[in-house]
Every structure is written in C-alpha cells, then in structure tokens.
Amino acid sequence: NKTQLFEATQSRSQQLEALNEISSQLSTEIADVDRLLDRIMRSAVDILKCEAGSLLLEDEESGDMIFRVALGPNADDLVGRRLPREEPSLANEALTRAESVIVNDAASDKRWFGEVIESDDEDEDEDETEAVPSTTFKSRALLTTPLLAQGQPIGVLQIINKKNGSPFTNEDATLLTTFAAQAAVAIQNARLYALQDERLIQRVAELEGLAAIDQSLNQTLELQQVAQVTLNWAIRQSKAKAGIIALIHQESDDENMLLISSSGYPEESMFSATVIGETVPAKVGIWGRVIRTATPSFTRNLKEDPDYIETFPGAVAQITVPIISASEVLGILMIESDNEADLTLLDMEFLTRLADHASPAIANSKLFGELSHQQKARADFVRFIAHELKTPMTSMKGYTDLLMRGVVGPLNEQQSNFLETIFNSVNRLEALVNDLRDIEAQDANQLKLDMGAIDFPPIVRECLRPLEQAFERKEQNVVLDFPEDLPQVWGDHQRLIQVMTNFITNGNKYTPVNGTVTIKAEEAVNIWDTEGVRRVLHVQIQDNGIGMSEDDLKRIFKEKYFRSDTARDTDEPGTGLGMVLTRGLILQHGGQVWVESEPGVGSTFHFTIPLADEILREAM
Ligand code: ADP
C-alpha cells in the first residue's frame, strides 16, 4: 500500500511539473491560436494519460460550443462540429456550472450526448445525428472541465478514458482545472492578439489608403476631383452603397449646400449624380443636424431618427461626418446603406479621420477655385490685349521694314538708325506680349502642346538665324557641340524653338563682348528623373558670362518678373518671364531643367526632353 501511495504521489508531482512547464510555454504560442489549442489539448491528454480528448470553444455569437481540437480515434471528423447551446451535453453542463464534471460510466449517463466517439451498436438508436462512425473505440470515462478566463466561460476541455482503465478522480479534476485556468488565459491572450492584429491590418490598409488619397489630393486642386477621390475612398473602405460630399453654399446662403460629389444614388434621389454642381437644402435631414452641431452621426435605425429624410431607397444605416477646416464646418461627407451590417463604428472613426484628412485639401481647392476665377479673368484680359495689339504691331513692323529697305525712298544714316530702334522695340513688345499670353495660359493650364517626333539640330539652327546679328554685335562665338544624327525627341517644334531661343538669347545678353556660348546635346539615360522615361536628350547651353548668385539660382525658374541685379546692370532688355515660361514648357514636355552657375564665371543651363522612341514605345 505504501508503494502504491508513493507511486501515486510520484506520478502526481510529475504531472504537476509537466503542467507547470507546459503552462509557461503556452504564452509563446500567442500568434497562432490553432496551434495553441492543439498544444493545450495534447498536453492535457498526455499529462493525465488519457486515450482521447477534445477542446471546445464557445461561439460568441450563437453561444454554441464548437469542437476546435479533437484527439483520438476518428477525432478529425469532430473538428468544426457544433453542440447547440440549448441541447444537453456535458460541455454545456460544465460551462453552466463553471466546474468540472466527471462521468465514469458514460454509457448510462443521460447528459452524455454525443460529444465524442462512440461506436457500439447499442448506442446507435440512442443518437443518430451526433454519432460518429468509429471502429472499436468507446468512451467509458469522461472528465469535462470549463475553460474560464477572468471568471467567464470560454469553452471546455474534455478528456476521455484513462489509459490504465481507472476512473477519473477529484484529484484529476483539480489538476485539469489548474491546467484549464492557465490554458484559458493563454487562449484569451492569443485571441486578443489576433484581434489586435486584425485591427492593425485594418489600420495599415487604411493608412495606405490615406497615403494614396494624399497623393491624389496633392496632384489636383480641382475641387470636384478632390471630393471625388475622398468619396470613393469613403465608400470603398466601408461597404456603403451610396454617398455624397456637399459643401455649404457660400454667398451668404446657408440654407443650401452645393452637391460636389455623389455616388450610388438612383436618378430620382435628391442626391443623384445628375444634380452635382447644384444646390441641395443644408438645414434639413440628419446632415443638417451634423452641420449645426459639427458632430458626426452614426445611425443604424434611420426610420426612428426624427430628422431622417430618405435619400437612398430602403436605407437603414447612415454615417455623416462634418468636414471642418479652421473650426468652420465646410460641409459634410455622408455614406449610407440599405444593409445595416455594412456600416460599423469603425467606419465612422475612419470617415472622421478621412474628413479631417481631406478638409485642408478641400479648403485649399475652394480657395483655389476662387483664385482661379480671378486668374481666368486675368488670362482673358491678357488674351484680349494680345489680340488687340497684334494688328497694330504687325503693321508697325511691316511699314518699318518697308522704310528700312528703302522701298519708299532713300534714307540717311540717322533715319536708318531710328527705324532700326523702332523695329527692335516692336519686336520686343511682340515678344513680351507673347510671353505674357503664354504664361497666363500656362498658369491656367491652357497651354496646349502640339507633340510629335522631331529632329533637334534643325531647331538649333532655326533659333540661331535671327540671333546672328546679336552675336555679331557682341563679337561672341557660338559653338555647336552635338552630332547631326541625334535621335528624335518627342516635342512641340515651335515651343522647343521658344525654349532654345530663351536660353540662347540669355547667353547672348548675359555674356560680355567676346564671350562664348556653347550648345551641347547628347542622348542620355535619364538619371535625372527616375520616374520619367528611360532615355532623353540632354541639352546644355553654356556661357562664360556674368553668372548668378546662390539666391538668384533659387528664384530664376520660380519667380515671374525676376531679374538679378547684375542682369539689370547690363542694360540688356528683359522682363523676367522667359525662364519661368521655359521651365513650364520643359516640364510639360516631360523633361527636367536645372542650372549651374557661378558669379563672374558663367552659367550652364541643362534640360532634358524624352526621346520620341521612348514615348512611342510606351504608347504601344
Ligand atoms: P529676362 O527677360 O530678364 O532675360 P529670363 O526669365 O530669361 O528674363 O531670366 C531671368 C533672369 O535670370 C535674368 O534676368 C537674369 O538675371 C538671369 N539669367 C538668365 N539667364 C542667364 C544667364 N545665361 N546668365 C546669367 N544670368 C541669367
């Protein structure tokens, strides 16, 4: 008897040791719930030396118990099966009582309700639906212990048939309970972890979305587009069926808002896409309340909200968030669905963040809209002036030319000089008017290019011809340094002449007498713009003239009417429009432009233009 007792104690302490060890290991399985559950079950069966066992977890929604792990003969079929909440079972009993249930005579126990593995003929009529086909295995004894996490039942551990055939004792129950407590904590942690993980994944997806939105928003200042991008994201991230963005109508009219963007509404709806750009009432509906209170609203029982006005047929859920900038409600973002489950609180959080995110862009583009209105008026004016000046300038040039050529009589030297001055002045006036007109068009995004595959060398020659005199006058050299067989570029012939003329004229103007202007061009791999085409023509216009200071370099391409002090000192005529326009033209061609310069030493202007091959290949 003593040896028996010793052996019992011995095995008990071994069990406890094993249990301790396994418990400490459970916490490492946090990232994979299924593996954790499997491990728990195996350990329980091992430690208590049983033949089989199963682990069931409660399904949070239905309350049913679901087999998550089953060990033993034919156990695989059990995984995933449900024990309904209402039906009697040992699992349900252990859960309800929150304590272990021992059954050592399974065959005669009424509560034993098909939890596991029975194969005897005598059982077949007793329970058909739950019966699992098996060979010779028979559950004789079962120990069922609830898994309690912070006092809450989350499932059960059930072990079956001790290998030595002995019945389950209270001591076994205590041991399994201790183990179950540890296991439950590990399960709960792993579940929380998985949940966190899900949240994290969702948040990352959302952030990616926001980054994409930022990108699209930064690319456009068109209010409609900004709103459309925002709305698309709102609808895509939630599962809404329809949505709008509307902004409070300015011009002292707070009764109405302007429908900027709409998606998913049928034609008969007041928010149908056909009324985009028109006003809709701002003071009614749930959106009216959101505007008034500057607070988001999430309603799942629309019909019960007294403010609700139907805009989407059969809608049951709606989220409306205010778009706020500088603590002023600019408008609303609203999404809705006819399926309650489509919209959740998480969606509302997301929408609020989205609205926060988009509101500066919307505010900006609103301002921009007003600004571009002014800009358009100015561009119209410049266009009008340019047009009005064109006829008189043409006739001035024509008559001056006739006079200068002596067609209407001989001229003395002074008369010739005067006429030349008039002629040059008219030319400058013409260039100025053209630059003004172009730059306004460029600002208004109305400068259209007539693109095609063109040869570069003829462009240079075409530029130089009218400048020959200017170079001769200053006794400057022009050096051409490029092969004749350069690959064709993709560009607008006239505009590229304009670009080259601007650079070469500046070289001539801002280089003293006897200086040199060198024009280089080469085919090159596009190392200057990794997002651009692969191969470009790299052009350089180099002079050994007055150069520019660091500060000048920062301003030259960006500031309209900028002229450096040294440039003004040269007495060369200029407006400070050429470089801004030139840069715009080059960028519009898909090229890059930059300049290196040192005061008193000289300047080298660089620019690139995509090769025609590259563009044509991309288009195919
Ligand atoms: P501008 O009509 O004054 O020549 P641009 O827009 O062509 O206007 O050039 C702007 C200014 O950039 C010039 O006024 C001058 O200060 C500077 N700049 C342009 N090209 C050169 C150059 N080759 N050398 C030195 N300064 C230059």
Side-chain angles (χ1 to χ4, degrees):
N1 216 359
K2 251 190 174 168
T3 22
Q4 249 184 339
L5 187 65
F6 175 74
E7 273 175 9
T9 324
Q10 179 83 343
S11 85
R12 194 52 79 195
S13 74
Q14 273 172 0
Q15 283 176 324
L16 280 171
E17 210 171 287
L19 182 128
N20 248 339
E21 198 189 318
I22 196 72
S23 302
S24 69
Q25 283 175 13
L26 290 183
S27 57
T28 61
E29 288 286 5
I30 196 161
D32 186 338
V33 180
D34 286 334
R35 253 180 58 183
L36 172 69
L37 298 180
D38 193 66
R39 187 138 184 194
I40 289 171
M41 197 60 243
R42 274 177 207 285
S43 311
V45 168
D46 273 2
I47 293 172
L48 285 142
K49 301 198 169 56
C50 294
E51 291 180 348
S54 36
L55 190 160
L56 297 88
L57 289 185
E58 197 180 27
D59 176 34
E60 275 173 29
E61 271 178 30
S62 60
D64 293 349
M65 299 290 281
I66 301 177
F67 280 89
R68 296 292 298 268
V69 185
L71 299 175
N74 298 61
D76 282 352
D77 296 344
L78 278 177
V79 172
R81 256 175 54 180
R82 281 170 186 267
L83 292 181
R85 181 77 199 173
E86 325 74 58
E87 288 177 20
S89 69
L90 289 172
N92 277 335
E93 184 168 335
L95 257 200
T96 318
R97 285 177 25 194
E99 61 182 36
S100 297
V101 178
I102 297 176
V103 172
N104 279 320
D105 182 11
S108 66
D109 197 300
K110 287 272 179 297
R111 297 164 301 179
W112 162 232
F113 197 79
E115 267 141 318
V116 224
I117 322 174
E118 202 69 18
S119 66
D120 253 5
D121 307 73
E122 56 189 35
D123 261 15
E124 258 171 18
D125 46 359
E126 195 180 286
D127 183 284
E128 284 144 33
T129 48
E130 299 277 345
V132 176
S134 168
T135 46
T136 56
F137 186 84
K138 189 172 176 189
S139 297
R140 296 179 311 271
L142 296 104
L143 168 54
T144 313
T145 298
L147 289 159
L148 302 174
Q150 288 155 344
Q152 293 296 313
I154 59 168
V156 300
L157 265 181
Q158 191 167 62
I159 52 175
I160 303 159
N161 296 355
K162 283 205 178 176
K163 279 184 181 150
N164 62 11
S166 63
F168 285 113
T169 62
N170 282 336
E171 247 180 303
D172 293 326
T174 309
L175 191 73
L176 193 63
T177 305
T178 313
F179 179 65
Q182 314 263 15
V185 171
I187 293 172
Q188 201 67 344
N189 282 343
R191 280 176 154 183
L192 274 179
Y193 181 83
L195 192 69
Q196 283 306 104
D197 215 37
E198 237 167 71
R199 286 239 168 94
L200 196 69
I201 289 168
Q202 192 177 357
R203 189 90 176 87
V204 167
E206 195 185 300
L207 282 177
E208 276 171 2
L210 288 180
I213 293 177
D214 273 346
Q215 219 171 26
S216 341
L217 290 186
N218 285 337
Q219 280 165 7
T220 172
L221 275 172
E222 287 287 323
L223 185 55
Q224 294 251 333
Q225 244 169 305
V226 169
Q228 193 64 47
V229 168
T230 311
L231 182 62
N232 285 351
W233 266 96
I235 292 180
R236 201 175 330 159
Q237 279 281 316
S238 62
K239 289 198 188 94
K241 299 278 162 54
I244 58 154
I245 285 182
L247 299 184
I248 312 284
H249 203 224
Q250 292 252 294
E251 283 130 50
S252 73
D253 174 12
D254 62 353
E255 290 290 327
N256 292 308
M257 51 184 195
L258 200 61
L259 191 66
I260 303 294
S261 176
S262 152
S263 177
Y265 287 97
E267 206 164 309
E268 63 275 11
S269 167
M270 69 188 285
F271 288 157
S272 146
T274 53
V275 275
I276 287 180
E278 289 174 33
T279 54
V280 288
K283 289 203 156 158
V284 297
I286 294 177
W287 67 83
R289 188 174 71 214
V290 169
I291 292 172
R292 208 167 51 245
T293 57
T295 341
S297 147
F298 174 32
T299 316
R300 270 191 150 171
N301 248 332
L302 284 177
K303 297 264 147 60
E304 280 162 30
D305 191 317
D307 289 329
Y308 176 64
I309 295 175
E310 184 175 285
T311 44
F312 185 78
V316 291
Q318 198 181 72
I319 298 177
T320 311
V321 298
I323 298 169
I324 300 175
S325 171
S327 60
E328 186 195 351
V329 178
L330 295 181
I332 50 136
L333 165 57
M334 173 175 119
I335 57 174
E336 49 188 335
S337 174
D338 53 5
N339 179 7
E340 191 181 314
D342 285 349
L343 303 182
T344 68
L345 260 179
L346 277 182
D347 291 325
M348 180 163 99
E349 284 172 24
F350 169 68
L351 235 60
T352 309
R353 280 196 293 275
L354 180 64
D356 283 350
H357 225 73
S359 71
I362 288 177
N364 279 347
S365 59
K366 249 186 115 174
L367 282 178
F368 179 78
E370 285 153 25
L371 199 78
S372 73
H373 192 69
Q374 290 171 12
Q375 220 164 36
K376 194 174 164 296
R378 211 173 60 195
D380 285 347
F381 176 70
V382 171
R383 230 193 329 257
F384 167 75
I385 293 290
H387 185 80
E388 288 302 299
L389 284 179
K390 205 177 159 150
T391 322
M393 279 192 306
T394 311
S395 60
M396 280 159 86
K397 273 174 78 172
Y399 287 121
T400 320
D401 189 47
L402 282 179
L403 288 171
M404 274 175 18
R405 284 195 281 135
V407 175
V408 285
L411 304 170
N412 64 31
E413 201 186 324
Q414 200 178 27
Q415 288 170 328
S416 291
N417 285 345
F418 284 178
L419 281 173
E420 203 182 305
T421 308
I422 293 174
F423 191 75
N424 287 340
S425 300
V426 176
N427 268 344
R428 275 196 356 240
L429 184 63
E430 194 180 24
L432 169 65
V433 169
N434 285 343
D435 277 1
L436 266 177
R437 191 195 53 199
D438 285 350
I439 217 151
E440 289 297 341
Q442 200 172 60
D443 282 353
N445 249 333
Q446 285 169 352
L447 207 147
K448 298 280 175 293
L449 298 185
D450 179 14
M451 304 294 275
I454 51 179
D455 288 316
F456 186 72
I459 288 185
V460 179
R461 281 193 292 275
E462 222 173 303
C463 289
L464 285 174
R465 209 169 300 126
L467 296 177
E468 258 168 36
Q469 276 193 352
F471 279 103
E472 270 169 27
R473 219 176 296 132
K474 290 181 90 170
E475 295 173 33
Q476 292 168 332
N477 293 317
V478 177
V479 177
L480 301 187
D481 181 5
F482 50 81
E484 276 302 309
D485 60 351
L486 283 173
Q488 289 190 310
V489 293
W490 190 252
D492 178 323
H493 184 87
Q494 283 310 324
R495 294 300 181 182
L496 286 184
I497 288 182
Q498 194 178 352
V499 165
M500 284 304 285
T501 304
N502 283 341
F503 283 129
I504 298 172
T505 312
N506 283 352
N508 166 254
K509 288 197 300 190
Y510 304 121
T511 303
V513 173
N514 274 324
T516 302
V517 174
T518 307
I519 300 160
K520 294 184 189 171
E522 59 180 359
E523 175 187 353
V525 171
N526 192 1
I527 52 170
W528 303 279
D529 178 12
T530 46
E531 272 158 35
V533 295
R534 247 171 358 109
R535 283 155 61 250
V536 290
L537 190 72
H538 172 211
V539 184
Q540 301 178 52
I541 301 93
Q542 190 175 22
D543 65 54
N544 52 1
I546 61 173
M548 278 171 281
S549 70
E550 290 281 323
D551 182 53
D552 296 341
L553 290 177
K554 282 190 204 123
R555 303 170 65 185
I556 173 169
F557 290 123
K558 301 250 163 78
E559 274 180 42
K560 279 185 221 169
Y561 310 107
F562 164 73
R563 301 198 71 205
S564 69
D565 295 339
T566 42
R568 286 177 201 278
D569 289 344
T570 58
D571 275 344
E572 293 281 358
T575 57
L577 284 175
M579 286 298 104
V580 176
L581 185 59
T582 299
R583 171 175 179 268
L585 284 172
I586 291 168
L587 295 187
Q588 216 180 329
H589 273 81
Q592 303 275 312
V593 59
W594 66 104
V595 56
E596 301 162 326
S597 185
E598 207 178 310
V601 178
S603 313
T604 305
F605 288 83
H606 299 253
F607 73 95
T608 60
I609 295 287
L611 294 188
D613 271 359
E614 295 288 312
I615 301 292
L616 294 172
R617 195 166 44 82
E618 266 179 21
M620 278 196 315

